Amino acid sequence: MKNYIKIIVVIALFLPLCVSSFSIGEEEFFFIEESYDYKERRSTTAELQKITDLIYFYVDKNWWSSLSEEEKKEYRQILDELGDEFKDKIYPKITSFLGDKPEHSINPNERIFVLFHPMQESAGGYFRTGDQYSKYQYARSNRKNILYLNSSLIEDRILPAALSHEYVHLVTFNEKDKRRGVTEEIWLNELRAETIPTILGYDDIYEDSNLESRVEVFLRDPDISITEWTEHISDYGVLNLFGQYLIDHYGKEILSISMKSKLVGIPSIDYALKEEGYDKSFGDVFTDFVITLYLNDCTINEYYCFKNENLRDLRVDPTNFFLLNKDEDKLSTKYQTKNWAGNWHRIVGSSGVLNMNFKGDKDFVIPYALCNKSGDCFVEELALNSQGEGTILVEEFNSKYNSLTIMPIMQNKFEGFNGPERTFLFNWEVTIIDEDSFLSKEELAEFRERIISLQKKIADIYIQVAGELPKNYLFLGGFKKMEKDLYFGMSKSREVENLQKFLKAQGEEIYPEGLITGNFYELTRMAVIRFQERHKEEILHKVGLSSGTGYVGKYTRNFINSLILK
């Protein structure tokens, strides 16, 4: 089911431009693709066996001759029903949603041609762009709006899904190449074709559906790039599931809007997200998708799950790494990946304070999940410095949390996906430090008090020497003055880091996790709520509220700044 693209060759060959009439049983010569054909043939003779309102159905002559009369009768009936399905459902819905088929310049017949011929077992069908051109432009052109399907699918439940998939490729050629003068990147062309059976309802019954087969393929090979087309069956699995996630959370219109723009690939999805009013980029969506493949739990975050009921139990199996004992409490690994591919590395075992050091390209995005023994998880994102390095520190590992899963995603290329992609290396090292080697809570509190006392003295010296403190910086506690509102969803923010440091200093009853990530997600929001509710009189009652909101607005900021100034 591939959008088959060939180099167009100009040759001096003239053949009649169109067929004047069609009748059942007539034979016609067709070029076919040897890479799909079961005997690697480059051409075949086919017979016209069914004419419906919108389709001429041709079947490979040799294959058809091998059937019994009973089988031929049964297959003609199936083709008749498929023609009705195309007329009543596939054609009108795809036309209204994505666009229409091309008006063929060589053969303007309003019907499309569907040719069934025996193909290799893994192939469902294909579409050739070369058929849209004349023999002068492409010598092996069949000069028709034509789709090719594997004859083995005639009795298969997914036959309508396969036809709809290939028809999307025909529509894509019309909407992108002919109308807008651009060529869609293969991965997005295939993604639209993969999701259309779900949109049309062909995957509602999961058993033996196209979706079920794609899930099986994906689970065998989940960590491949969605943008690198390798002509392998595994490409369909990950593309299908990303398409499912995309329409689950952002609606099928994302695919339609991106189709009807002059943009292709990732920029077209970014454009469609903006047009639909979403304050998210393709990168944000893909990151949430990778997290979903591991957690698939709407209770953690509404974007960390599939909404399709058939995918509610889908989860990848991460690569597990075990910390065995205190004499061997060190793990390290080197790994490689490509742009827009998921990776899931889960660390379990031993106990103490877990320290993970990551090193890779600075454009890695690294969400990570900490989970306890009850299966409750929360997600944060590791901030990397300009050298692509970052550290995760987890206290009470294997007592409070029993697993850490990192999900490194390379995100530094956004267009031009037309062939093999380069690989990127990353490595991480994990060590466990005995908690007994750390200061006690009482010792830590005393240490913090001494730091604050020293910071006060430094602040006094600055005022005596310079007359004022450095602009926008208040030394007490080492916190910067909060100048703007902070809210859920902010990421990689220095202001959020400052807020998290302040919340952590308020104690474990306010911010028990104590993570300093720069990302304002659920843990930070809950810490803000606890802080607001601890100081209701000073914050909430001033605006007539009794419960915290998790939004750091004017009154919350003013109160925090007043504490810093003391």
Side-chain angles (χ1 to χ4, degrees):
M1 298 182 179
K2 167 190 168 187
N3 181 18
Y4 201 87
I5 299 174
K6 281 282 189 179
I7 297 174
I8 297 173
V9 181
V10 178
I11 59 172
L13 176 66
F14 179 83
L15 289 175
L17 295 183
C18 62
V19 179
S20 59
S21 63
F22 299 87
S23 58
I24 298 298
E26 73 174 15
E27 298 180 2
E28 186 165 347
F29 173 89
F30 290 93
F31 291 105
I32 57 177
E33 291 304 320
E34 64 270 27
S35 60
Y36 288 91
D37 187 71
Y38 79 126
K39 288 186 177 179
E40 299 183 352
R41 299 173 299 171
R42 290 170 55 84
S43 64
T44 189
T45 299
E47 294 182 3
L48 178 60
Q49 287 299 330
K50 202 67 172 177
I51 301 175
T52 64
D53 289 349
L54 296 176
I55 299 177
Y56 292 114
F57 285 110
Y58 281 82
V59 295
D60 181 89
K61 181 180 178 181
N62 290 337
W63 173 79
W64 187 256
S65 299
S66 69
L67 302 176
S68 67
E69 288 304 315
E70 188 63 29
E71 287 174 322
K72 291 177 180 178
K73 180 179 179 182
E74 178 187 352
Y75 289 174
R76 288 192 189 99
Q77 178 62 34
I78 290 173
L79 295 179
D80 198 43
E81 293 170 357
L82 183 60
D84 289 341
E85 183 74 3
F86 185 82
K87 179 188 70 172
D88 297 336
K89 186 174 185 177
I90 297 172
Y91 175 74
K93 289 194 174 184
I94 292 179
T95 300
S96 63
F97 174 47
L98 293 176
D100 206 348
K101 66 182 185 300
E103 184 177 332
H104 204 291
S105 57
I106 306 301
N107 191 338
N109 196 297
E110 65 178 22
R111 290 182 175 89
I112 68 168
F113 294 71
V114 175
L115 170 60
F116 286 89
H117 71 89
M119 300 181 192
Q120 297 177 18
E121 185 178 356
S122 61
Y126 57 92
F127 163 71
R128 303 164 77 239
T129 60
D131 290 325
Q132 293 295 312
Y133 300 99
S134 71
K135 295 286 186 179
Y136 294 103
Q137 295 168 298
Y138 179 45
R140 300 186 69 242
S141 173
N142 287 314
R143 302 170 303 130
K144 297 175 175 64
N145 284 330
I146 181 170
L147 309 175
Y148 305 82
L149 294 176
N150 195 334
S151 54
S152 67
L153 293 180
I154 286 189
E155 290 186 292
D156 200 302
R157 190 193 143 211
I158 71 166
L159 178 59
L163 177 58
S164 66
H165 178 119
E166 301 307 333
Y167 186 66
V168 168
H169 291 321
L170 182 63
V171 170
T172 300
F173 180 86
N174 187 48
E175 293 296 327
K176 290 293 189 182
D177 296 71
K178 291 196 70 174
R179 291 188 175 180
R180 294 171 176 84
V182 297
T183 298
E184 184 60 271
E185 291 186 353
I186 295 176
W187 71 270
L188 185 51
N189 195 338
E190 292 294 344
L191 184 147
R192 289 195 192 94
E194 277 293 304
T195 54
I196 203 67
T198 298
I199 292 171
L200 294 178
Y202 294 130
D203 293 321
D204 289 352
I205 299 174
Y206 186 64
E207 187 176 0
D208 295 328
S209 67
N210 182 68
L211 179 57
E212 182 186 43
S213 68
R214 296 315 193 205
V215 168
E216 291 174 357
V217 166
F218 168 77
L219 291 175
R220 291 197 297 268
D221 201 4
D223 57 350
I224 63 172
S225 168
I226 68 165
T227 53
E228 181 186 47
W229 187 253
T230 65
E231 300 188 27
H232 191 273
I233 187 67
S234 58
D235 294 327
Y236 291 105
V238 68
L239 279 174
N240 188 303
L241 288 177
F242 182 61
Q244 301 294 334
Y245 180 85
L246 194 61
I247 64 176
D248 261 1
H249 290 278
Y250 302 96
K252 65 181 182 179
E253 291 74 18
I254 295 296
L255 301 179
S256 177
I257 294 169
S258 64
M259 171 78 96
K260 296 173 183 177
S261 78
K262 291 198 69 172
L263 300 170
V264 299
I266 291 174
S268 74
I269 297 295
D270 278 332
Y271 167 77
L273 289 167
K274 185 176 180 180
E275 285 292 296
E276 287 293 277
Y278 292 104
D279 188 24
K280 284 199 173 189
S281 67
F282 180 89
D284 298 327
V285 174
F286 188 79
T287 299
D288 290 343
F289 167 67
V290 170
I291 296 169
T292 293
L293 289 172
Y294 177 61
L295 296 175
N296 202 1
D297 188 345
C298 297
T299 64
I300 299 173
N301 186 298
E302 63 175 316
Y303 287 103
Y304 296 167
C305 61
F306 288 102
K307 295 183 178 179
N308 186 326
E309 289 293 335
N310 290 325
L311 300 176
R312 285 295 176 91
D313 296 324
L314 173 65
R315 291 176 182 83
V316 296
D317 288 326
T319 303
N320 288 294
F321 299 86
F322 296 90
L323 289 159
L324 297 177
N325 54 57
K326 291 191 177 297
D327 295 324
E328 299 179 5
D329 283 345
K330 184 175 181 179
L331 280 174
S332 63
T333 187
K334 292 183 179 180
Y335 211 75
Q336 63 182 27
T337 188
K338 296 186 177 183
N339 268 291
W340 310 109
N343 297 280
W344 302 268
H345 292 186
R346 181 172 179 262
I347 295 91
V348 296
S350 196
S351 61
V353 178
L354 182 148
N355 184 77
M356 168 177 277
N357 293 310
F358 178 94
K359 184 172 179 58
D361 190 282
K362 64 181 177 59
D363 291 319
F364 270 102
V365 174
I366 310 172
Y368 64 90
L370 277 169
C371 303
N372 61 28
K373 293 179 181 178
S374 300
D376 298 322
C377 304
F378 71 87
V379 176
E380 288 289 341
E381 189 173 304
L382 174 60
L384 300 180
N385 61 24
S386 58
Q387 285 74 49
E389 300 171 334
T391 299
I392 301 172
L393 192 67
V394 184
E395 298 179 11
E396 301 179 271
F397 189 71
N398 213 21
S399 55
K400 186 174 184 179
Y401 307 107
N402 74 325
S403 72
L404 165 67
T405 303
I406 66 168
M407 297 166 255
I409 310 163
M410 190 59 192
Q411 300 185 9
N412 80 339
K413 182 176 179 180
F414 299 88
E415 56 188 339
F417 296 97
N418 296 312
E421 293 295 320
R422 63 167 291 194
T423 58
F424 296 86
L425 299 176
F426 67 86
N427 62 75
W428 52 258
E429 182 178 278
V430 169
T431 54
I432 292 288
I433 307 166
D434 195 326
E435 291 178 341
D436 293 337
S437 66
F438 281 77
L439 296 174
S440 67
K441 291 183 179 179
E442 292 76 14
E443 290 172 323
L444 282 172
E446 181 182 351
F447 188 64
R448 289 191 185 109
E449 287 296 323
R450 292 174 62 188
I451 292 174
I452 291 172
S453 177
L454 288 171
Q455 289 170 336
K456 286 181 181 179
K457 292 178 181 179
I458 294 171
D460 290 340
I461 292 171
Y462 258 91
I463 292 172
Q464 291 172 12
V465 174
E468 61 180 357
L469 297 176
K471 185 177 181 181
N472 291 334
Y473 195 86
L474 298 167
F475 275 91
L476 185 57
F479 307 120
K480 291 182 180 179
K481 184 179 180 181
M482 297 185 186
E483 300 282 3
K484 64 180 184 180
D485 292 357
L486 305 176
Y487 46 87
F488 182 85
M490 296 180 70
S491 63
K492 300 181 181 178
S493 165
R494 292 294 177 86
E495 291 87 353
V496 173
E497 282 187 17
N498 184 48
L499 170 67
Q500 290 169 328
K501 290 176 183 177
F502 174 81
L503 293 169
K504 184 175 181 179
Q506 306 309 300
E508 290 189 356
E509 63 274 21
I510 294 296
Y511 192 19
E513 297 80 13
L515 297 170
I516 313 300
T517 64
N519 302 318
F520 198 132
Y521 296 149
E522 187 63 18
L523 297 180
T524 304
R525 188 180 75 87
M526 292 305 299
V528 171
I529 289 173
R530 295 185 195 104
F531 178 80
Q532 291 170 328
E533 293 182 349
R534 174 189 279 185
H535 302 283
K536 288 183 179 181
E537 291 291 337
E538 296 86 351
I539 301 173
L540 298 177
H541 290 178
K542 287 189 175 183
V543 289
L545 297 174
S546 59
S547 301
T549 62
Y551 184 93
V552 182
K554 175 182 176 181
Y555 291 100
T556 304
R557 284 192 292 105
N558 287 346
F559 183 67
I560 290 174
N561 289 337
S562 73
L563 295 179
I564 296 173
L565 283 165
K566 288 182 179 179

